[in-house]
Amino acid sequence: MHQVLVIEDEPGIRAVLRVLLTAEGYRCIEADTALRAEIEARSHKPDLLLVDLGLPDGDGLKVIRRVRAWSPVPIVVLSARTMEEQKVAALDAGADDYITKPFSAPELLARLRAALRRVTHATPSAVLRFGDVRVDLARRAARGADGEIHLTPLEYRVLGCLARQLGSIVMQRQLIREVWGPGREDDSRSLRVCIKNLRAKLEPDPRQPHYLITETGVGYRLRADEDAA
Ligand code: CA
């Protein structure tokens, strides 16, 4: 049973999360201040932190930085703050993902599973399924309903980088650094072209991406069908 530490000062939202998480089989620990959050994180060693950014005694970012200093525990932000800079700041501080309020319960649970999956299965699934398309990252082979699909080495690297954080946000800067190398972080054009090409090859409808999602101003998120073998 996974333990989730919910750091949220609004009792109503905490109650909703408690019901939702408990029903999914998580054990729910709660904290309503930044100070309490650190105490609970240290004493319970939860498997995941769900952090609100606006806390009565400080910013959730501070909690994230302080916990990150001693723990690799997955941290998911749940915040009403919707600005791109705020998402980037939270991810920079060490958060793994960012969900904006109001949230959808299935989406929240999917993101928590994704964040936990990274810890329990450190190596990503080698085969990803996107509808009719299957991509074998290890063998660098892809097939769709009409036969083989050719992906370039660069496209495999971008896909591999996104797949390591399957279901969670990967920052644009991180993608560029890992695929093109350091010093190119401001060159987002090559990445955009690569994403566009990947969508054309993998998405059922590239104009309305379902698997390769843009997080405006922040980065990208890769989803895959869960029954991939
Ligand atoms: Ca709050």
Side-chain angles (χ1 to χ4, degrees), residues 80-97:
R81 300 180 191 174
T82 56
M83 302 281 285
E84 291 155 17
E85 305 88 81
Q86 292 160 340
K87 295 183 187 177
V88 170
L91 296 168
D92 269 342
D96 297 272
D97 205 350

Side-chain angles (χ1 to χ4, degrees), residues 6 16 32 36 39-40 52 79 82 92-93 100 107 111 158 162 171 184 189 201 212 222 225:
V6 173
V16 168
D32 56 0
R36 197 73 230 160
I39 296 169
E40 298 294 342
D52 176 27
S79 177
T82 56
D92 269 342
T100 47
E107 180 72 15
R111 304 275 194 92
V158 168
L162 288 165
M171 282 201 282
R184 297 273 306 272
R189 193 178 167 273
K201 294 174 185 183
L212 194 36
L222 182 68
D225 292 321

Side-chain angles (χ1 to χ4, degrees), residues 8-10 52 54:
E8 166 67 70
D9 58 321
E10 288 174 52
D52 176 27

Side-chain angles (χ1 to χ4, degrees), residues 13 16-17 30 45 47 64 83 96 125 129 132 158 172 197 218 221:
I13 297 179
V16 168
L17 291 169
E30 297 171 31
K45 302 277 187 296
D47 301 292
I64 297 170
M83 302 281 285
D96 297 272
S125 164
R129 192 165 77 77
D132 289 336
V158 168
Q172 181 173 294
N197 293 338
V218 182
R221 175 194 308 277

Side-chain angles (χ1 to χ4, degrees), residues 19-194:
V19 170
L20 184 65
L21 295 176
T22 310
E24 282 298 302
Y26 295 105
R27 189 161 165 257
C28 196
I29 311 158
E30 297 171 31
D32 56 0
T33 62
L35 178 66
R36 197 73 230 160
E38 283 193 63
I39 296 169
E40 298 294 342
R42 282 185 188 277
S43 60
H44 288 281
K45 302 277 187 296
D47 301 292
L48 186 141
L49 266 58
L50 193 55
V51 187
D52 176 27
L53 293 183
L55 296 168
D57 59 337
D59 199 299
L61 286 179
K62 203 168 74 185
V63 176
I64 297 170
R65 280 193 206 99
R66 294 181 70 139
V67 170
R68 226 355 128 242
W70 57 270
S71 171
V73 64
I75 300 176
V76 176
V77 171
L78 179 60
S79 177
R81 300 180 191 174
T82 56
M83 302 281 285
E84 291 155 17
E85 305 88 81
Q86 292 160 340
K87 295 183 187 177
V88 170
L91 296 168
D92 269 342
D96 297 272
D97 205 350
Y98 197 107
I99 303 168
T100 47
K101 295 178 196 167
F103 60 91
S104 102
E107 180 72 15
L108 175 91
L109 293 170
R111 304 275 194 92
L112 297 191
R113 281 197 301 275
L116 285 165
R117 199 184 301 126
R118 257 201 321 288
V119 182
T120 41
H121 314 283
T123 44
S125 164
V127 179
L128 299 167
R129 192 165 77 77
F130 312 103
D132 289 336
V133 177
R134 276 172 183 274
V135 180
D136 187 331
L137 289 174
R139 288 178 43 239
R140 295 208 162 186
R143 283 195 82 79
D146 302 325
E148 197 180 320
I149 299 170
H150 176 75
L151 302 189
T152 67
L154 210 58
E155 288 162 1
Y156 273 113
R157 279 161 67 189
V158 168
L159 208 53
C161 188
L162 288 165
R164 277 200 303 281
Q165 284 167 252
L166 192 64
S168 299
I169 303 179
V170 181
M171 282 201 282
Q172 181 173 294
R173 269 187 281 137
Q174 181 194 340
L175 269 169
I176 297 174
R177 194 167 52 235
E178 287 192 25
V179 175
W180 282 270
R184 297 273 306 272
E185 285 85 348
D186 294 329
D187 174 15
S188 59
R189 193 178 167 273
S190 309
L191 176 62
R192 279 204 309 276
V193 170
C194 189

